[in-house]
Amino acid sequence: MNTQTEAMYEALGISKEVYQFGQETEEKLKERFAKIDETAEYNQLKVIRAMQQNRVAQEHFNMSSGYGYDDAGRDTLEEVYATAFHTEAALVRPQITCGTHALAVALFGNLRPGDEMISISGKPYDTLEEVIGIRPSNGSLAEYGVTYRQVDLLADGSFDFEKIKETISEKTKLIEIQRSKGYQTRPTLSVSQIGEAIAFVKSINPEIICMVDNCYGEFVERIEPSDVGADMTVGSLIKNPGGGLAPIGGYIVGKKACIENAARRLTCPGLGKEVGANLGVMRSFYQGFFLAPTVTSGALKGAIFAANIYEKLGFAVVPNGSEERHDIIQAVTFGFPEGVIAFCEGIQAAAPVDSYVTPEPWAMPGYDSDVIMAAGAFVQGSSIELSADGPIKPPYAVYFQGGLTWNHAKLGILMSLQKLVEKHLVTLPER
Ligand SMILES: *Cc1c(COP(=O)(O)O)cnc(C)c1O
């Protein structure tokens, strides 16, 4: 059987040597992968139970239009999210255009002029800089008189509790914690670390709203930030919880009052959650959420596989090949631009869509260097699908994530290695 599979890899352009190197690497990851499967099993049951408890039915997949009054599909889906995340309420909508928008809705809905927000996990994700007004921007929170302060993580990536205590004042209305490292080199925070920080903040002032940017973290662990005291947990549906099927959307789960405030920002005061037609995306939202635990587990295996492949070849990888995971992002530092380019070419060549396209570094708005991006996705920009990107500047690192199935993630990573080997950028160890 294996020779048949090997022949198929060969037909796709993977050499015997690269395939063998991959097999040896995978062999050593069996125990790790078994643990990931156990987490996926638990989370799968959690999602099914939430669907059963809320009596999800065929009729909930129906389309609504216009105002979307009494949209049972939309309302029940929000109950399913609230049940799975163990929160009082949820806002899960196709009108939330992406993760940044979900975070902006949560912030604008809950902050008022004169309030202060503090990020206690250092610099927030790039796209939030203009939302908050860290980089001046029309319509930012800063323009509405909401001030911002930041407490950086300590050198080891943990929270700076002393500094947090010093920075919190009577003006502090909300603290933000970003679970994932995003495109930084700090470690990703575990849910239990996040829980400790929230407990600490609440011990100073229980009224402070604790909001967690949960992007890329959903279903990686058995618990979510909402299980450890977060008042709002926020993310994108074209990442983990959309399971690859949601064509758009974002979610906010948490305290009823916070969700209501967010809904009044998403629509408007007086209307809140009552309006918002689903336009026919409900089945993909439900089915995507149902698939999300296993999809996330596949992406996680891919990240660990890549870390081990490239670590063995002598490259710096974050997280490293053996450490525990709290999100699905993997960074590989090549140290030379050709490595980043070859890696991305491989990811693209392994895609089910647009595989014949060759990605090239390009100047992108908001970046201070050329950037190369590889994505052959069913949903544009979806980063739960196998995708990679890297700025063409030192240290010449590539960030990649996703893979709707482990098998595809594996092919993508082997293909990236194949490109590096073909261009004589790496040599496989003698066997
Ligand atoms: C992706 C991401 C966002 C923004 O999500 P978009 O859907 O790209 O707008 C915010 N925070 C983190 C940590 C992310 O990974």
Side-chain angles (χ1 to χ4, degrees), residues 98-100 103 125 127 178 180 182 213 215-216 236 239:
C98 60
T100 306
L103 290 156
Y125 198 73
T127 54
Q178 184 182 310
S180 169
D213 175 351
C215 282
Y216 288 130
S236 163
K239 294 178 181 172

Side-chain angles (χ1 to χ4, degrees), residues 32-87:
R32 265 318 280 281
F33 283 11
K35 282 234 171 66
I36 291 170
D37 288 336
E38 284 171 22
T39 303
E41 181 178 2
Y42 175 84
N43 284 328
Q44 179 71 84
L45 299 176
K46 179 163 80 174
V47 168
I48 291 173
R49 186 149 180 265
M51 292 189 170
Q52 293 183 352
Q53 284 178 333
N54 291 288
R55 303 174 64 88
V56 171
Q58 192 73 43
E59 71 197 31
H60 293 143
F61 309 148
N62 291 347
M63 190 192 89
S64 70
S65 60
Y67 294 116
Y69 288 142
D70 302 318
D71 182 336
R74 176 197 68 204
D75 293 347
T76 303
L77 179 71
E78 289 178 340
E79 290 302 319
V80 168
Y81 265 69
T83 303
F85 282 91
H86 307 119
T87 57

Side-chain angles (χ1 to χ4, degrees), residues 327-345:
D327 70 6
I328 61 166
I329 301 180
Q330 181 65 46
V332 181
T333 301
F334 287 103
F336 46 90
E338 298 82 2
V340 174
I341 294 166
F343 184 97
C344 288
E345 283 177 3

Side-chain angles (χ1 to χ4, degrees), residues 50-175:
M51 292 189 170
Q52 293 183 352
Q53 284 178 333
N54 291 288
R55 303 174 64 88
V56 171
Q58 192 73 43
E59 71 197 31
H60 293 143
F61 309 148
N62 291 347
M63 190 192 89
S64 70
S65 60
Y67 294 116
Y69 288 142
D70 302 318
D71 182 336
R74 176 197 68 204
D75 293 347
T76 303
L77 179 71
E78 289 178 340
E79 290 302 319
V80 168
Y81 265 69
T83 303
F85 282 91
H86 307 119
T87 57
E88 292 171 5
L91 189 66
V92 187
R93 302 281 168 124
Q95 285 82 11
I96 300 177
T97 57
C98 60
T100 306
H101 187 202
L103 290 156
V105 163
L107 291 171
F108 274 99
N110 284 281
L111 291 163
R112 297 291 179 270
D115 287 345
E116 185 157 87
M117 71 168 279
I118 307 174
S119 165
I120 63 167
S121 50
K123 191 186 89 62
Y125 198 73
D126 279 29
T127 54
L128 283 183
E129 290 185 8
E130 288 192 57
V131 171
I132 296 167
I134 301 171
R135 267 187 287 147
S137 194
N138 248 342
S140 68
L141 283 163
E143 280 200 344
Y144 286 89
V146 174
T147 54
Y148 170 76
R149 296 184 75 183
Q150 183 174 312
V151 179
D152 289 335
L153 294 168
L154 294 170
D156 66 355
S158 64
F159 287 104
D160 188 342
F161 288 105
E162 217 165 291
K163 200 68 179 286
I164 292 170
K165 189 167 185 178
E166 262 173 50
T167 309
I168 289 175
S169 70
E170 1 18 301
K171 282 182 72 183
T172 310
K173 175 76 176 290
L174 180 149
I175 64 114

